[in-house]
Amino acid sequence: MNNAEMRSRLTLLGLSLKQLSTITGWDYRELRRTANGIRPVSPRTRDMIKSIEVKADDDIGTMQASVEAGRPVVIPHFSDEGTPPYMGEGGVMPGSYWHALAGALLALDESETASVIYADEEEQGGSKA
């Protein structure tokens, strides 16, 4: 993975460098230097991004199952910071991650049957977003 691929993959995942830093506990400045091409992408960073991509594939699968069952996909608001440990037991990824995945799902929804709503709309009976 090169530096441009690192940035592109994070964009597809809906994650900023700051969010990756928060998720991993790594130094933001080190990640910024890597993303800007000053340092090569380390195996540690490559492996973490790939593990997030695996999680994203699983999460998109869950979203697709909701669509196929006729249920809306429920996501947090974009500004939601998530819940640490993010990738661990009981963790929740930030809202931007869920928006990116929902956007990917909607882009591939040829039947146009997918519905995405915010969690607080679900509590109110749901409305199509």
Side-chain angles (χ1 to χ4, degrees):
M1 179 182 305
N2 65 36
N3 309 83
E5 290 169 348
M6 174 187 160
R7 277 271 194 188
S8 297
R9 288 171 183 257
L10 287 174
T11 298
L12 281 175
L13 291 167
L15 298 174
S16 67
L17 292 173
K18 185 68 176 162
Q19 287 170 315
L20 182 62
S21 171
T22 300
I23 289 166
T24 61
W26 300 342
D27 183 16
Y28 167 74
R29 294 167 297 180
E30 178 185 329
L31 290 170
R32 187 182 66 221
R33 286 190 288 269
T34 300
N36 290 334
I38 296 168
R39 305 177 104 176
V41 178
S42 70
R44 172 181 84 155
T45 301
R46 180 198 65 224
D47 292 347
M48 175 54 76
I49 291 171
K50 286 185 177 185
S51 72
I52 296 171
E53 289 174 331
V54 167
K55 175 179 177 21
D57 286 344
D58 291 345
D59 289 334
I60 287 175
T62 301
M63 290 176 164
Q64 184 62 44
S66 288
V67 170
E68 290 170 1
R71 295 186 313 267
V73 174
V74 181
I75 61 173
H77 285 274
F78 191 85
S79 60
D80 189 306
E81 294 296 322
T83 306
Y86 304 103
M87 299 274 293
E89 185 72 29
V92 177
M93 294 292 276
S96 59
Y97 166 87
W98 297 106
H99 277 252
L101 299 188
L105 179 75
L106 290 170
L108 297 173
D109 181 33
E110 294 176 6
S111 64
E112 298 183 5
T113 58
S115 174
V116 178
I117 63 172
Y118 289 122
D120 57 0
E121 292 172 345
E122 180 185 42
E123 294 165 7
Q124 299 167 7
S127 66
K128 203 165 188 169

